[in-house]
Amino acid sequence: MEPKTSKQLKESPHYQIVVQGKLSDSWSEWLGDVSFESINRIYASNQTTIFSEIPDQAALRGLLNKIWDLNLTLVSVNRQEKIPNGGINEY
């Protein structure tokens, strides 16, 4: 494994968090300026995907605590890495 460059060390990881239920964009600021994508598929009915750049584990725990405070069911948490073309690639 190659050592990380200073640029890589400064970049915060991105997370995709899926919760059961629909959240409106109005919750974005309270949750820490995250972005939402509602999923309306038969197998994933009434789920919201939260996308966020999270600087460290303490910030991730803080966001998960807020989700818990809203009494939302956590479906999944996935760490993702940005890839050179600006997209997102799962770890």
Side-chain angles (χ1 to χ4, degrees):
M1 189 161 99
E2 295 180 22
K4 291 189 175 187
T5 65
S6 61
K7 181 180 178 187
Q8 289 172 321
L9 292 173
K10 291 179 185 178
E11 290 180 5
S12 297
H14 291 73
Y15 285 85
Q16 175 187 29
I17 301 169
V18 180
V19 297
Q20 192 67 34
K22 289 188 178 183
L23 291 177
S24 68
D25 289 337
S26 64
W27 286 102
S28 175
E29 187 176 330
W30 187 78
L31 287 171
D33 292 324
V34 297
S35 61
F36 296 131
E37 176 182 294
S38 291
I39 301 172
N40 293 314
R41 299 183 194 130
I42 293 172
Y43 64 89
S45 179
N46 292 321
Q47 292 184 348
T48 300
T49 302
I50 301 168
F51 297 100
S52 183
E53 182 176 352
I54 300 177
D56 55 32
Q57 293 294 301
L60 175 60
R61 174 136 185 196
L63 177 57
L64 293 174
N65 283 341
K66 287 181 178 184
I67 289 169
W68 185 74
D69 289 344
L70 290 173
N71 200 29
L72 295 171
T73 300
L74 186 63
V75 175
S76 67
V77 177
N78 294 301
R79 183 176 174 171
Q80 302 180 322
E81 108 183 70
K82 278 193 166 184
I83 54 178
N85 66 2
I88 299 283
N89 187 25
E90 287 189 35
Y91 277 110

